[in-house]
Amino acid sequence: MNKISRKGFLKIAAAAAMSGVTAGALAACNSASSSTAASSAAAPAGTYIPGTYEGTAEGISSTVKVTMTFSDSAVTNVVVDTSGETASYGAAAADQLKEQLLAAGSAEIDGVSGSTVTSEAVMKAAKSCFAQAKGEATVSSVQLPTGDETDWLGKEPDIDEAAITETVDTDILIVGAGNGGMFAAAYAAANGLNFRIIEQNAVVQDTRHWYGAIDSAAAKAAGAPATDKAKLLSEISRYASGKCDQRVVKTWINESAAMHDFMRSILEDKFGWECEFTSGAEAAWPAENAEHNTDYLYPVQEHNYRASESAAGLQRNEALQQYIEELGYGIDFKTSLAKLEKDSSGRITGVIAQSTEDDHFIRYNANQGVLLACGGFPGNPYMMEQLDPLGTSVTTACSYSPADKGYGIRAAVWAGANLDKEAAPMLFDRGIVAPGVDAGYVDSENAFGGKAFPGKIRQYNPGTQPFLKVNRDGERFANESCPYNDIVYAAAHQPGHVYAQICDANILEDVKRFHTIGCSAQTRNAGEDYIKSQMENAEKEGCFFKADTIEELADKLGFTGEAKETFLATVDRYNELYDQQNDEDFGKPAYRLSAIRTAPFYGCWLGASLLTTEQGIAINEKGQALDSDNKPMPGLYVTGDMSGSFFANNYPCLMAGVAMGRTLTFAMKAVKQMAGLE
C-alpha cells in the first residue's frame, strides 16, 4: 500500500472536486448512465456525477462487489455480487440487498436477516459508490498487503501519522476474538485488568469446542488415572519428529489443568453448562493395534462443554463475550490489525489498526504487552502454496474459517518474529469430491487470491473410517487404519492425489467394530440416521454412489478398461484378506478389515479437508514471541493457530483436543505474564 500523506490527500480531494474524478483505490468507471429507470429516492439535480462506480468490501468469505449507476439525481441501476459468500446465506441475499439499495437511494439499508456480515459489506461497498458519485475523495482501505504468487509475505504497510486519527491507551491489547483471544479476555476481565480486544469481523469467531487438558478436575472426578506426563511429552515430540520445543509442550501439560479450572468457573459455575469428559477406552485405539506396532497415538483427556438448556445453541466464545460484557468490558469489532509498533529498544508497544467501517486508523498503545490470537493461514492460497505445497496438493475441500488469512503471522514477521520452518496443516481425510476431480486448488473468480479447493462439502465424516481405499488405477496403496492425515499424504503418490473408499451394506456394523476415535467417532456414535444423512447429502452433490453390484459401482466411480478390471480384482483380494483375518499386504489389524459382499455397495472419491494450519510464530514456554535469533521479543505474545514451536509435519489428529488445549492454556499464560500475575 502506498503511503498517503495529509497534503497528498487534500490535493487529491481538491482535484476531485474540480474535475469530477474521484480518488482512492475504488475506481469509478465513468460510463454513460444506464437506461434503467430510476427507482430510488430522488435527490436534487446535480447531487451526483453521472456514471457507473464500483465499491468493494470484505464479506464473510469473499470480497463483495457493488456496482452502482447514477444520473445527476438518483441511482438508476445496482449490481450486487455476493457470489463468493456462503451459498445459502450471503450469496442468496444479493437480490434483496439490490432492491433495498435502489429503494433507499443511500447506503443506509436494513440488510438481510441471517446475512449480517454480507449485508454490512454490501453497505460499505455502496457507501464508497455514493462517495465517488458525489465527487468526494475516498482513502483506500489499508489491510495488510495480500502478497502474491511468488511472495506470500508482501511489504509492511507504511501509514502516515496524519492518517491516524484516534489513539487508545491500555495495558494489554488482545488481537483476535476467537478461541484464544476470548479466553484471554475472560481471564483478564476476571482479574480486573485494563485491556482491550479488537476483532476485524463483526462478531466473535467460531468456537472449536473440544480441548485437551491433563489431569484436570474433570479427570479426577471421572476417576481417570494420573497421566504419564513424560510419555506424553515424548509422544508429542516424536510425532513432530523432534521439531518442537519440549518446554513449550510442557507448559500445556503442566498448566492445562489450571486452564480448565478457570473455564469451569465460568461455564459451569456461572452458566450451568455441563462438561463432557472423554478418556480411557473411548479415547484410545483398541489394544489390537499394539500387535502391529501402531500403538503410538497417546490418548489425551478431552473436554467438551454442552450449553445448558436455557442457552441451547450458544457457543463458548459467545458465552465468554457475555461474561466480559457483564464485567464492563467490550470488543472493538470491525477493527483490523494493520501493523505492530515498537520503540527504539525493540519492544512491541502496540499496534496500528484500521476501522473496517470508515477506514480511519487507530493507534493502540499497550503498556504491558500485545497478545496476537489471529488464527492461521488456511484461507490464504499464497501462503498455503508457498509454505505448505504438500498439504495444498492433497487437499480437495476445506472446513476452515475464511477469515484466517495469516495477517497476524505476517505482521509479526514484519516486526522481526521467527516463523516456524516446517508446515503443520490440520488435514482430515474427509474431502469428498466427484469422480475425475483432482486435489489442489482450482481457479475461483470470487475467492481470495482467485483460488479455492473444488469440494462442495466441508467434511464427509465417514471418510475417516478404515474401509478399503484404492487409487484411480483400482489399486490398494496403503494401510487404511491410520491417523487422519496419513492416508491423504499417501495419496500424494497416487494419480490426482485422490482415492476411492469402498464399503457395503454392513457399514454401521463395521464402523462400530473399527472404533475410530476423536471427531471421527461421531460416525459410530451417531448411528444409522447420521450415516444416511451424510450419504444423502453427498449424493445430492454428485459425490457419493450406491449400487447393487460391484461392477455397477465401478462404473459409477469412473473406472474403465484395465483400471476397472484391477479394481474388481482388488475387491476380491480384500475379501480374501478379510476371510483370512490377516492383512498380509499392508498389515492392517484384523478388526479393521471388512467384507465387501452385501448389496448395496457404496463408494466415493476423497482427499483432504483442510481445517487450519499450525505453522506459526515461534514462542517460548511463557508464550513470548521469539525473534530470528530465538530471543524473546519484549511486549509480544502469541497463542492459537498462529503460534508455533509445538507442532511440525502435521497435527497429531488423534490426540484429540491438543491444539485447542494449547491455545487456551497459552492465552491464559500470556495474560498472567503481561500483568505480572506469576
Side-chain angles (χ1 to χ4, degrees), residues 105-146:
S106 77
E108 301 302 321
I109 58 176
D110 293 333
V112 176
S113 177
S115 303
T116 303
V117 176
T118 302
S119 296
E120 290 173 345
V122 167
M123 284 185 266
K124 182 179 178 182
K127 183 179 178 181
S128 173
C129 292
F130 276 99
Q132 295 173 64
K134 292 177 181 179
E136 298 172 353
T138 59
V139 180
S140 60
S141 175
V142 177
Q143 300 288 347
L144 300 187
T146 59

Side-chain angles (χ1 to χ4, degrees), residues 110-304:
D110 293 333
V112 176
S113 177
S115 303
T116 303
V117 176
T118 302
S119 296
E120 290 173 345
V122 167
M123 284 185 266
K124 182 179 178 182
K127 183 179 178 181
S128 173
C129 292
F130 276 99
Q132 295 173 64
K134 292 177 181 179
E136 298 172 353
T138 59
V139 180
S140 60
S141 175
V142 177
Q143 300 288 347
L144 300 187
T146 59
D148 58 38
E149 293 181 349
T150 60
D151 177 18
W152 63 265
L153 181 59
K155 185 179 180 181
E156 184 177 42
D158 186 9
I159 301 169
D160 196 299
E161 280 291 316
I164 303 170
T165 59
E166 183 181 355
T167 299
V168 176
D169 294 315
T170 188
D171 288 336
I172 294 171
L173 178 65
I174 301 166
V175 183
N179 295 291
M182 288 309 300
F183 193 61
Y187 190 75
N191 285 276
L193 303 179
N194 177 25
F195 77 93
R196 297 291 285 261
I197 176 170
I198 66 174
E199 165 59 46
Q200 67 176 344
N201 297 293
V203 295
V204 295
Q205 297 304 283
D206 288 343
T207 302
R208 195 182 305 164
H209 285 276
W210 295 268
Y211 63 83
I214 302 304
D215 297 342
S216 67
K220 294 174 182 176
T227 300
D228 184 340
K229 294 183 178 180
K231 181 181 179 183
L232 177 57
L233 176 63
S234 175
E235 288 298 292
I236 290 177
S237 179
R238 183 151 65 107
Y239 211 109
S241 300
K243 299 170 185 175
C244 61
D245 186 329
Q246 293 191 17
R247 296 166 299 179
V248 173
V249 178
K250 285 179 65 178
T251 294
W252 167 69
I253 291 174
N254 294 331
E255 300 185 26
S256 57
M259 172 272 290
H260 174 72
D261 285 342
F262 178 64
M263 185 73 80
R264 181 180 59 160
S265 72
I266 299 176
L267 298 185
E268 291 185 37
D269 298 347
K270 178 174 176 56
F271 289 101
W273 291 18
E274 180 181 353
C275 180
E276 293 183 354
F277 175 74
T278 305
S279 67
E282 175 59 28
W285 280 22
E288 287 91 335
N289 284 280
E291 299 174 9
H292 295 263
N293 298 315
T294 57
D295 187 25
Y296 59 92
L297 297 164
Y298 195 80
V300 172
Q301 298 166 347
E302 187 180 19
H303 305 69
N304 178 31

